[in-house]
Amino acid sequence: MKAVQLVEIGQPLQAREVPAPSIGTRDVLVRIRAAGICHSDVHYRNGTSPVAGLPHTLGHEIAGVVEEIGPEVANVTIGKRVCLHYLVTCGECHYCRTGNEQFCVEGKMLGKHLDGGYAEFISVPARNAVPLADEVSFEHGAALMCSSSTSFHALRKGRLEPGETVAVFGAGGLGMSAIQLARAFGALQVLAVDIHPSRLELAERYGAVPVNASLEDPVTEIRRLTGGRGVDVAVEVIGLKKTMEQAVQSLAVLGRAVMVGIADEPFAIDSYGELLCKEAEVVGSSDHLLWELPLLVELVRQGKLDLSQVITRTVPLDAGAINRAMDSLQKFGDGVRTVITP
Ligand SMILES: [Zn+2]
Ligand SMILES: [Zn+2]
């Protein structure tokens, strides 16, 4: 089969002919119909974040059709549309058994530790295949597997309750899902903080109140918009020291700041003024859980989560086109999302 692989760190991906994967008794073979190009894939190509070995097929945001199933597979049948949970876990360790499988001691990620979706076929354990409703496109199914599910998990970690207020720091792919999901979960008011007018405009279309951090201090503005209280939940998806600090500073009494963005330096908190006095919390959020994914598919099917404005481009399974999409992701961040449709 055809695969576009990382052969050498720091070099463009290459189109290669590789053997189609074989399946074990509990695996499914999936014909890939959509594979998202994620910002982490750029880190793998750069070498900023390591992959298991070279050559390696990248891609962890995958949707497709079941082509073949192992003899012990009961949860899916041949011909079913599916999207794939990217974390392959043991199901047996302490973390798997307590429902926190993202910490599985043997956890392996598609496209990082295992070959991923920049190919025609992939083999995965059948339990990683999540049914994809007919109304949801393969492209959207693929995108749900990473950015949307990260946002979903983050809002759950923030224990958002109906009637509360939310501030989302960063209105890119992750943020746009966070805004819509916060509203679907019953948030009374969602504030979107960014510096790009086009992103803020889109955030506003999805029902958020835009806060342009290049024109005004977002903390002051959030206080003003919430009658001086601050927000109950702040979600930071950018990964900057400054915006992480602003997220904490924007909290109301008993507020929760959820950290999703990956920063390369520590951030500072006034522990007395910002945490103790408010009984505020800073919460880390990592990846997502398998059981959260069917709920996301259903939210898209019901029209409560719209990804049509987030995915802006599709490319074929072509090394040149994929490298160009990665180059632009590297330069401009996640404003434009590209999905490979083999
Ligand atoms: Zn991703
Ligand atoms: Zn495990």
Side-chain angles (χ1 to χ4, degrees), residues 36-112:
I37 300 178
C38 182
H39 210 263
S40 356
D41 296 334
V42 177
H43 294 308
Y44 302 145
R45 190 180 66 169
N46 285 347
T48 325
S49 187
V51 294
L54 298 174
H56 192 80
T57 308
L58 302 182
H60 55 270
E61 306 176 358
I62 308 163
V65 176
V66 177
E67 179 92 4
E68 210 181 297
I69 62 173
E72 287 175 34
V73 172
N75 65 323
V76 284
T77 51
I78 291 170
K80 283 281 177 221
R81 303 170 88 246
V82 290
C83 38
L84 305 183
H85 179 39
Y86 62 57
L87 207 58
V88 176
T89 56
C90 75
E92 300 293 337
C93 71
H94 170 75
Y95 300 106
C96 283
R97 285 180 180 279
T98 52
N100 301 293
E101 87 252 6
Q102 77 271 52
F103 305 109
C104 174
V105 292
E106 287 175 31
K108 291 187 177 68
M109 188 176 161
L110 300 180
K112 179 175 163 75

Side-chain angles (χ1 to χ4, degrees), residues 81 130-137 297-298 301:
R81 303 170 88 246
V130 176
L132 183 63
D134 289 341
E135 296 92 333
V136 183
S137 70
V297 172
E298 183 58 16
R301 198 190 65 79

Side-chain angles (χ1 to χ4, degrees), residues 46 59 64-65 70 72 81 93 116 176 182-183 238 240 251 261 263 274 284 286 322 336:
N46 285 347
V65 176
E72 287 175 34
R81 303 170 88 246
C93 71
M176 226 50 89
R183 284 173 52 86
I238 304 167
L240 289 176
L251 291 180
E274 291 165 5
S286 175
I322 293 169
V336 178

Side-chain angles (χ1 to χ4, degrees), residues 167-178:
V168 176
F169 286 78
L174 278 161
M176 226 50 89
S177 285

